[in-house]
Amino acid sequence: MSKFKKKKGGEVPAVNTASLPDIVFMLLFFFMVVTVLRDNNLLVKNELPKADQVEKLQKDRSVYIYAGKPSERYKDKYGTEGRIQIGDKYTDVSQVGSALEEARRKLLPELQDKVMVALKVDGETNTGLVSDIKQELRELNMLKIIYITTPGNETDN
């Protein structure tokens, strides 16, 4: 008989899973911290026109006004005429002032005097609606207006 015994099969030892819950919770917290939630639910169709000279906007001091026809999901309820959206609800032209004041109050106090109005207007929206919005903004003395576009060649519109 031999003094030494052969090992039975080259079995791999079991993987240690003691640190697995720590890794899972670390990933969970990471994704919870870096995930950005959507601010507004877009109610209007918003295919922005193209422009070749665009700049990045400082989002901390801007209030967005969306203008366009109601999206496919809301056409039955609101019709097909151009509408104005501020925040998560439709606004009439006569109520733009109060809606903008409410949105302005949500900004930081030091930025409320330096607010910029960003117009995200659909490419097929009537210019009369945009003119009405601009007239209301003049009456509110909110004269800094930015038109949001997508990068591209303006002749492709």
Side-chain angles (χ1 to χ4, degrees):
M1 281 224 186
S2 69
K3 246 183 180 180
F4 302 105
K5 294 184 181 179
K6 286 186 176 182
K7 289 185 179 180
K8 296 181 181 176
E11 294 181 13
V12 178
V15 176
N16 186 3
T17 60
S19 63
L20 190 61
D22 294 334
I23 295 170
V24 169
F25 282 116
M26 189 171 32
L27 286 172
L28 176 69
F29 286 130
F30 172 77
F31 286 116
M32 285 174 50
V33 169
V34 299
T35 301
V36 177
L37 299 177
R38 188 171 26 176
D39 290 335
N40 295 329
N41 184 17
L42 201 56
L43 303 173
V44 295
K45 183 177 151 190
N46 203 271
E47 293 177 16
L48 300 174
K50 295 183 189 307
D52 59 355
Q53 296 180 8
V54 294
E55 294 179 21
K56 188 133 174 97
L57 175 67
Q58 296 176 354
K59 291 185 178 184
D60 58 345
R61 65 180 203 161
S62 58
V63 176
Y64 290 94
I65 297 178
Y66 301 94
K69 297 178 181 178
S71 60
E72 294 294 327
R73 187 166 63 174
Y74 299 105
K75 275 190 179 177
D76 295 337
K77 189 173 181 181
Y78 296 109
T80 58
E81 283 295 313
R83 308 278 302 211
I84 302 169
Q85 178 186 347
I86 299 176
D88 275 341
K89 54 189 168 194
Y90 285 126
T91 305
D92 209 22
V93 175
S94 60
Q95 298 170 345
V96 167
S98 61
L100 283 176
E101 284 300 322
E102 182 181 326
R104 178 191 270 183
R105 277 186 251 120
K106 291 180 183 177
L107 295 175
L108 295 173
E110 60 270 8
L111 296 176
Q112 288 180 358
D113 296 336
K114 302 173 185 174
V115 69
M116 298 173 81
V117 178
L119 292 175
K120 283 187 142 184
V121 181
D122 185 50
E124 297 177 4
T125 303
N126 294 337
T127 55
L129 182 63
V130 178
S131 298
D132 292 343
I133 294 170
K134 286 172 52 176
Q135 187 63 36
E136 284 291 320
L137 292 173
R138 279 188 206 113
E139 291 174 10
L140 293 169
N141 200 24
M142 296 178 112
L143 303 176
K144 293 185 179 181
I145 301 173
I146 297 173
Y147 292 96
I148 306 293
T149 62
T150 55
N153 191 354
E154 71 272 2
T155 57
D156 294 339
N157 289 331

